[in-house]
Coordinates of all heavy atoms in Angstrom, one line a residue:
K65 N 13.6 8.0 14.4 CA 14.1 8.8 13.3 C 14.5 8.0 12.1 O 14.2 8.3 10.9 CB 15.3 9.6 13.8 CG 15.9 10.5 12.8 CD 17.1 11.3 13.4 CE 17.7 12.2 12.3 NZ 19.1 12.1 12.2
N66 N 15.3 6.9 12.3 CA 15.7 6.1 11.2 C 14.6 5.3 10.5 O 14.6 5.2 9.3 CB 16.8 5.0 11.7 CG 18.1 5.7 11.9 OD1 18.5 6.7 11.3 ND2 18.9 5.1 12.8
L67 N 13.6 4.9 11.3 CA 12.4 4.3 10.8 C 11.6 5.3 9.9 O 11.3 5.0 8.7 CB 11.5 3.8 11.9 CG 10.2 3.2 11.4 CD1 10.4 2.0 10.4 CD2 9.4 2.6 12.6
K68 N 11.4 6.5 10.4 CA 10.7 7.5 9.6 C 11.5 7.9 8.3 O 10.9 8.1 7.3 CB 10.5 8.8 10.4 CG 9.3 8.6 11.4 CD 9.0 9.9 12.2 CE 7.8 9.7 13.1 NZ 7.6 10.8 13.9
N69 N 12.8 7.9 8.4 CA 13.6 8.2 7.3 C 13.4 7.2 6.2 O 13.3 7.5 5.0 CB 15.1 8.3 7.6 CG 15.5 9.5 8.3 OD1 14.8 10.5 8.4 ND2 16.7 9.5 9.0
W70 N 13.3 5.9 6.6 CA 13.0 4.8 5.6 C 11.6 4.9 5.0 O 11.4 4.9 3.8 CB 13.3 3.4 6.2 CG 12.6 2.4 5.3 CD1 11.6 1.6 5.6 CD2 13.0 2.1 3.9 NE1 11.3 0.8 4.5 CE2 12.1 1.1 3.5 CE3 13.9 2.5 3.0 CZ2 12.2 0.5 2.2 CZ3 14.0 2.0 1.8 CH2 13.1 1.0 1.4
M71 N 10.6 5.1 5.9 CA 9.2 5.2 5.5 C 9.0 6.3 4.5 O 8.1 6.3 3.7 CB 8.3 5.2 6.7 CG 8.4 3.9 7.6 SD 8.0 2.4 6.7 CE 6.3 2.6 6.4
E72 N 9.7 7.4 4.7 CA 9.5 8.6 3.9 C 10.6 8.8 2.8 O 10.6 9.8 2.1 CB 9.5 9.9 4.8 CG 8.4 9.9 5.8 CD 8.6 10.9 6.9 OE1 9.5 11.7 6.9 OE2 7.7 10.9 7.8
S73 N 11.4 7.7 2.6 CA 12.5 7.8 1.6 C 11.9 7.8 0.2 O 10.8 7.2 -0.1 CB 13.4 6.6 1.8 OG 12.9 5.4 1.4
N74 N 12.7 8.3 -0.7 CA 12.3 8.3 -2.1 C 12.2 6.9 -2.7 O 11.4 6.6 -3.5 CB 13.2 9.2 -3.0 CG 13.0 10.7 -2.6 OD1 11.9 11.1 -2.3 ND2 14.0 11.4 -2.8
D75 N 13.2 6.0 -2.2 CA 13.2 4.6 -2.7 C 11.9 3.9 -2.3 O 11.3 3.3 -3.2 CB 14.4 3.9 -2.1 CG 15.7 4.2 -2.7 OD1 15.7 4.7 -3.8 OD2 16.7 3.9 -2.1
R76 N 11.5 4.1 -1.1 CA 10.2 3.4 -0.6 C 9.0 4.0 -1.4 O 8.1 3.3 -1.8 CB 10.0 3.5 0.9 CG 8.8 2.8 1.3 CD 8.6 2.8 2.8 NE 7.5 1.9 3.2 CZ 6.2 2.2 3.0 NH1 5.8 3.3 2.6 NH2 5.3 1.3 3.4
K77 N 8.9 5.4 -1.5 CA 7.8 6.0 -2.2 C 7.7 5.5 -3.6 O 6.6 5.2 -4.1 CB 8.0 7.5 -2.2 CG 7.7 8.1 -0.8 CD 7.9 9.6 -0.8 CE 7.7 10.2 0.6 NZ 8.1 11.6 0.6
R78 N 8.9 5.4 -4.3 CA 8.9 4.9 -5.7 C 8.4 3.5 -5.8 O 7.6 3.1 -6.7 CB 10.3 5.0 -6.2 CG 10.5 4.5 -7.6 CD 12.0 4.6 -8.1 NE 13.0 4.1 -7.2 CZ 13.3 2.8 -7.0 NH1 12.7 1.9 -7.8 NH2 14.2 2.4 -6.2
L79 N 8.8 2.6 -4.9 CA 8.4 1.2 -4.9 C 6.9 1.1 -4.5 O 6.2 0.2 -5.0 CB 9.3 0.4 -4.0 CG 10.7 0.1 -4.6 CD1 11.7 -0.4 -3.6 CD2 10.5 -0.9 -5.8
I80 N 6.4 1.9 -3.6 CA 5.0 1.8 -3.2 C 4.2 2.2 -4.4 O 3.1 1.6 -4.7 CB 4.7 2.7 -2.0 CG1 5.3 2.1 -0.7 CG2 3.2 2.9 -1.8 CD1 4.8 0.7 -0.3
E81 N 4.6 3.2 -5.1 CA 3.9 3.7 -6.3 C 3.8 2.5 -7.3 O 2.8 2.3 -8.0 CB 4.6 4.9 -7.0 CG 3.8 6.1 -6.9 CD 4.5 7.3 -7.5 OE1 4.8 7.3 -8.7 OE2 4.8 8.2 -6.7
K82 N 4.9 1.8 -7.5 CA 5.0 0.7 -8.4 C 4.0 -0.4 -8.0 O 3.4 -1.1 -8.8 CB 6.4 0.1 -8.4 CG 6.6 -1.0 -9.4 CD 8.1 -1.4 -9.4 CE 8.3 -2.6 -10.3 NZ 9.7 -3.1 -10.3
A83 N 3.8 -0.6 -6.6 CA 3.0 -1.7 -6.1 C 1.5 -1.3 -6.0 O 0.7 -2.2 -5.8 CB 3.5 -2.1 -4.7
N84 N 1.2 -0.1 -6.1 CA -0.2 0.4 -5.9 C -1.2 -0.4 -6.7 O -2.3 -0.7 -6.2 CB -0.4 1.9 -6.1 CG -0.1 2.7 -4.9 OD1 -0.3 2.2 -3.7 ND2 0.3 3.9 -5.0
P85 N -0.9 -0.8 -8.0 CA -1.9 -1.6 -8.7 C -2.2 -3.0 -8.1 O -3.2 -3.6 -8.5 CB -1.3 -1.7 -10.1 CG -0.2 -0.6 -10.2 CD 0.2 -0.4 -8.8
Y86 N -1.3 -3.4 -7.2 CA -1.5 -4.7 -6.6 C -2.5 -4.7 -5.4 O -2.9 -5.7 -4.9 CB -0.2 -5.3 -6.1 CG 0.9 -5.3 -7.2 CD1 2.2 -5.2 -6.7 CD2 0.7 -5.4 -8.5 CE1 3.3 -5.2 -7.6 CE2 1.7 -5.3 -9.4 CZ 3.0 -5.2 -9.0 OH 4.0 -5.2 -9.9
F87 N -2.7 -3.5 -4.9 CA -3.4 -3.3 -3.6 C -4.9 -3.1 -3.8 O -5.4 -2.4 -4.7 CB -2.9 -2.1 -2.8 CG -1.4 -2.2 -2.5 CD1 -0.7 -1.0 -2.3 CD2 -0.8 -3.4 -2.3 CE1 0.6 -1.0 -2.0 CE2 0.6 -3.4 -2.0 CZ 1.3 -2.2 -1.8
R88 N -5.7 -3.7 -2.9 CA -7.2 -3.4 -2.8 C -7.3 -2.1 -2.1 O -8.3 -1.3 -2.4 CB -7.9 -4.4 -1.9 CG -8.0 -5.8 -2.5 CD -8.6 -6.8 -1.5 NE -8.4 -8.1 -1.9 CZ -9.4 -8.9 -2.4 NH1 -10.6 -8.4 -2.4 NH2 -9.2 -10.1 -2.7
K89 N -6.5 -1.8 -1.1 CA -6.5 -0.5 -0.4 C -5.1 0.1 -0.4 O -4.1 -0.7 -0.7 CB -6.8 -0.8 1.1 CG -8.2 -1.4 1.4 CD -8.4 -1.6 2.9 CE -9.7 -2.2 3.1 NZ -9.9 -2.4 4.6
N90 N -4.9 1.3 -0.1 CA -3.6 2.0 -0.2 C -2.7 1.4 0.9 O -3.2 0.8 1.9 CB -3.8 3.5 0.1 CG -4.4 4.2 -1.1 OD1 -4.3 3.7 -2.2 ND2 -5.0 5.3 -0.9
D91 N -1.4 1.7 0.7 CA -0.4 1.3 1.7 C -0.8 1.9 3.1 O -1.1 3.0 3.2 CB 0.9 1.9 1.2 CG 2.1 1.6 2.2 OD1 2.3 0.5 2.5 OD2 2.8 2.6 2.5
N92 N -0.9 1.0 4.1 CA -1.3 1.4 5.4 C -0.3 1.0 6.4 O 0.1 -0.1 6.4 CB -2.7 0.7 5.7 CG -3.3 1.2 7.0 OD1 -2.9 2.2 7.5 ND2 -4.1 0.3 7.5
Y93 N 0.1 2.0 7.3 CA 1.1 1.6 8.3 C 0.9 2.5 9.5 O 0.4 3.6 9.5 CB 2.5 1.7 7.8 CG 3.0 3.1 7.4 CD1 3.6 3.9 8.3 CD2 2.9 3.5 6.0 CE1 4.0 5.2 7.9 CE2 3.4 4.7 5.7 CZ 4.0 5.6 6.6 OH 4.4 6.8 6.3
K94 N 1.5 2.0 10.6 CA 1.5 2.7 11.9 C 2.9 2.5 12.5 O 3.4 1.4 12.6 CB 0.4 2.1 12.9 CG -1.0 2.4 12.5 CD -1.9 1.9 13.5 CE -3.4 2.1 13.0 NZ -4.3 1.7 13.9
I95 N 3.5 3.7 12.9 CA 4.8 3.7 13.5 C 4.6 3.8 15.0 O 3.8 4.6 15.5 CB 5.6 4.9 13.0 CG1 5.9 4.7 11.5 CG2 6.9 5.0 13.8 CD1 6.7 5.8 10.9
K96 N 5.3 2.9 15.7 CA 5.2 2.9 17.2 C 6.6 2.7 17.7 O 7.5 2.1 17.1 CB 4.4 1.8 17.7 CG 2.9 1.9 17.3 CD 2.2 3.0 18.0 CE 0.7 3.0 17.6 NZ 0.0 3.9 18.4
S97 N 6.9 3.3 18.9 CA 8.2 3.0 19.6 C 8.1 1.7 20.2 O 7.1 1.3 20.8 CB 8.5 4.1 20.6 OG 7.5 4.1 21.6
G98 N 9.2 1.0 20.2 CA 9.3 -0.3 20.9 C 8.2 -1.3 20.5 O 8.0 -1.5 19.3
L99 N 7.5 -1.8 21.5 CA 6.4 -2.7 21.2 C 5.1 -2.1 21.5 O 4.1 -2.8 21.8 CB 6.6 -4.0 22.1 CG 7.8 -4.9 21.8 CD1 7.9 -5.9 22.9 CD2 7.7 -5.5 20.5
D100 N 5.0 -0.8 21.4 CA 3.8 -0.1 21.7 C 2.6 -0.6 20.9 O 1.4 -0.6 21.3 CB 3.9 1.4 21.4 CG 4.8 2.1 22.4 OD1 5.2 1.5 23.4 OD2 5.2 3.3 22.1
F101 N 2.8 -1.1 19.6 CA 1.7 -1.5 18.8 C 1.0 -2.7 19.4 O -0.2 -2.9 19.1 CB 2.2 -1.9 17.4 CG 3.1 -3.1 17.3 CD1 2.5 -4.3 17.0 CD2 4.4 -3.0 17.4 CE1 3.3 -5.5 16.9 CE2 5.2 -4.2 17.3 CZ 4.6 -5.4 17.1
L102 N 1.6 -3.4 20.3 CA 1.0 -4.5 21.0 C -0.1 -4.1 21.9 O -1.0 -4.8 22.3 CB 2.0 -5.4 21.7 CG 2.9 -6.2 20.9 CD1 3.9 -7.0 21.7 CD2 2.2 -7.2 20.0
F103 N 0.0 -2.8 22.4 CA -0.9 -2.3 23.4 C -1.9 -1.3 22.8 O -2.6 -0.7 23.6 CB 0.0 -1.6 24.5 CG 0.9 -2.5 25.2 CD1 2.2 -2.7 24.8 CD2 0.4 -3.2 26.3 CE1 3.0 -3.6 25.4 CE2 1.3 -4.1 26.9 CZ 2.6 -4.3 26.5
E104 N -2.0 -1.3 21.5 CA -3.0 -0.4 20.9 C -4.4 -1.0 20.9 O -4.5 -2.2 20.6 CB -2.5 -0.2 19.4 CG -3.3 0.8 18.7 CD -2.8 1.0 17.4 OE1 -1.9 1.9 17.2 OE2 -3.3 0.3 16.4
T105 N -5.3 -0.2 21.3 CA -6.7 -0.7 21.3 C -7.5 0.4 20.5 O -7.0 1.5 20.2 CB -7.3 -0.8 22.7 OG1 -7.4 0.5 23.3 CG2 -6.6 -1.8 23.6
E106 N -8.7 0.0 20.1 CA -9.5 0.9 19.2 C -9.8 2.2 19.9 O -9.8 3.3 19.3 CB -10.8 0.2 18.8 CG -10.6 -1.0 17.9 CD -11.8 -1.7 17.6 OE1 -12.9 -1.2 17.8 OE2 -11.7 -2.9 17.3
N107 N -10.0 2.2 21.2 CA -10.4 3.4 21.9 C -9.3 4.2 22.6 O -9.6 5.2 23.1 CB -11.6 3.1 22.9 CG -12.7 2.4 22.2 OD1 -13.1 2.7 21.1 ND2 -13.3 1.4 22.9
E108 N -8.2 3.6 22.7 CA -7.1 4.2 23.5 C -6.0 4.8 22.6 O -5.6 4.2 21.6 CB -6.4 3.2 24.4 CG -7.1 2.8 25.6 CD -7.3 3.9 26.6 OE1 -6.5 4.9 26.6 OE2 -8.3 3.8 27.4
T109 N -5.7 6.0 22.8 CA -4.7 6.7 22.0 C -3.4 6.8 22.8 O -2.3 6.9 22.2 CB -5.1 8.1 21.6 OG1 -5.5 8.8 22.7 CG2 -6.3 8.0 20.6
K110 N -3.4 6.7 24.1 CA -2.2 6.8 24.9 C -1.6 5.4 25.0 O -2.2 4.4 24.8 CB -2.4 7.5 26.2 CG -3.3 6.7 27.2 CD -3.5 7.5 28.5 CE -4.3 6.6 29.4 NZ -4.3 7.2 30.8
V111 N -0.3 5.4 25.4 CA 0.4 4.2 25.5 C 0.7 4.0 27.0 O 1.0 4.9 27.7 CB 1.8 4.3 24.8 CG1 2.6 3.1 25.0 CG2 1.5 4.5 23.3
P112 N 0.6 2.7 27.5 CA 0.9 2.5 28.9 C 2.3 2.7 29.3 O 3.2 2.7 28.4 CB 0.5 1.0 29.1 CG 0.1 0.5 27.8 CD 0.2 1.5 26.8
V113 N 2.6 2.9 30.6 CA 4.0 3.1 31.0 C 4.8 1.8 30.8 O 4.2 0.7 30.7 CB 4.0 3.5 32.5 CG1 3.4 4.9 32.8 CG2 3.4 2.4 33.4
R114 N 6.1 2.0 30.6 CA 6.9 0.9 30.2 C 6.9 -0.3 31.2 O 6.9 -1.5 30.7 CB 8.4 1.4 30.1 CG 8.6 2.3 28.9 CD 8.9 1.5 27.7 NE 8.9 2.4 26.5 CZ 8.4 2.2 25.4 NH1 7.8 1.0 25.1 NH2 8.4 3.0 24.4
W115 N 6.9 -0.1 32.5 CA 6.9 -1.2 33.4 C 5.6 -2.1 33.3 O 5.7 -3.3 33.4 CB 7.2 -0.8 34.8 CG 6.1 0.0 35.5 CD1 6.0 1.4 35.5 CD2 5.0 -0.5 36.3 NE1 4.9 1.7 36.2 CE2 4.2 0.6 36.7 CE3 4.6 -1.8 36.6 CZ2 3.1 0.5 37.5 CZ3 3.4 -1.9 37.4 CH2 2.7 -0.8 37.8
K116 N 4.5 -1.4 33.0 CA 3.3 -2.2 32.7 C 3.4 -2.9 31.4 O 2.9 -4.1 31.3 CB 2.1 -1.3 32.7 CG 1.7 -0.8 34.1 CD 0.4 0.1 34.1 CE 0.1 0.5 35.5 NZ -1.2 1.3 35.5
Q117 N 3.9 -2.3 30.4 CA 4.1 -3.0 29.1 C 5.0 -4.3 29.3 O 4.7 -5.3 28.8 CB 4.8 -2.1 28.1 CG 3.9 -1.0 27.6 CD 4.6 -0.2 26.5 OE1 5.4 -0.8 25.7 NE2 4.4 1.1 26.5
F118 N 6.1 -4.1 30.1 CA 6.9 -5.2 30.4 C 6.2 -6.4 31.1 O 6.2 -7.5 30.7 CB 8.1 -4.8 31.3 CG 8.9 -6.0 31.9 CD1 9.8 -6.7 31.2 CD2 8.6 -6.3 33.2 CE1 10.5 -7.8 31.7 CE2 9.3 -7.4 33.8 CZ 10.2 -8.1 33.0
L119 N 5.4 -6.1 32.2 CA 4.7 -7.1 32.9 C 3.7 -7.8 32.0 O 3.5 -9.0 32.1 CB 4.0 -6.5 34.1 CG 4.9 -6.1 35.3 CD1 4.1 -5.4 36.4 CD2 5.7 -7.3 35.8
V120 N 2.9 -7.0 31.3 CA 1.9 -7.6 30.4 C 2.5 -8.5 29.3 O 2.1 -9.6 29.1 CB 1.0 -6.5 29.8 CG1 0.1 -7.1 28.8 CG2 0.2 -5.8 30.9
T121 N 3.5 -8.0 28.7 CA 4.2 -8.8 27.6 C 4.8 -10.0 28.2 O 4.6 -11.1 27.6 CB 5.3 -7.9 26.9 OG1 4.7 -6.7 26.4 CG2 5.9 -8.7 25.7
W122 N 5.5 -9.9 29.3 CA 6.1 -11.1 29.9 C 5.0 -12.1 30.3 O 5.2 -13.3 30.1 CB 7.0 -10.6 31.1 CG 7.6 -11.7 31.8 CD1 8.4 -12.7 31.3 CD2 7.5 -11.9 33.2 NE1 8.8 -13.6 32.4 CE2 8.3 -13.1 33.5 CE3 6.9 -11.3 34.3 CZ2 8.5 -13.6 34.8 CZ3 7.1 -11.7 35.6 CH2 7.8 -12.9 35.8
S123 N 4.0 -11.6 30.9 CA 2.9 -12.5 31.4 C 2.2 -13.2 30.2 O 1.6 -14.3 30.4 CB 1.9 -11.8 32.3 OG 1.2 -10.9 31.6
A124 N 2.3 -12.6 29.1 CA 1.6 -13.3 27.9 C 2.6 -14.2 27.2 O 2.3 -15.3 26.8 CB 1.1 -12.2 26.9

Side-chain angles (χ1 to χ4, degrees):
K65 181 181 179 225
N66 284 334
L67 176 56
K68 284 184 179 177
N69 286 343
W70 165 245
M71 295 304 290
E72 296 166 4
S73 72
N74 289 332
D75 285 340
R76 184 176 188 283
K77 286 177 184 174
R78 179 180 48 80
L79 285 165
I80 290 296
E81 248 179 63
K82 183 179 178 181
N84 273 334
Y86 312 150
F87 301 152
R88 292 176 193 251
K89 297 179 181 179
N90 289 336
D91 178 52
N92 182 22
Y93 66 86
K94 292 182 182 184
I95 294 176
K96 298 288 183 173
S97 63
L99 295 173
D100 292 348
F101 70 92
L102 290 176
F103 296 92
E104 188 175 272
T105 63
E106 292 172 23
N107 303 325
E108 284 294 336
T109 54
K110 65 180 186 171
V111 175
V113 294
R114 291 273 174 222
W115 67 269
K116 287 185 180 183
Q117 288 185 38
F118 166 79
L119 286 177
V120 171
T121 305
W122 179 52
S123 69

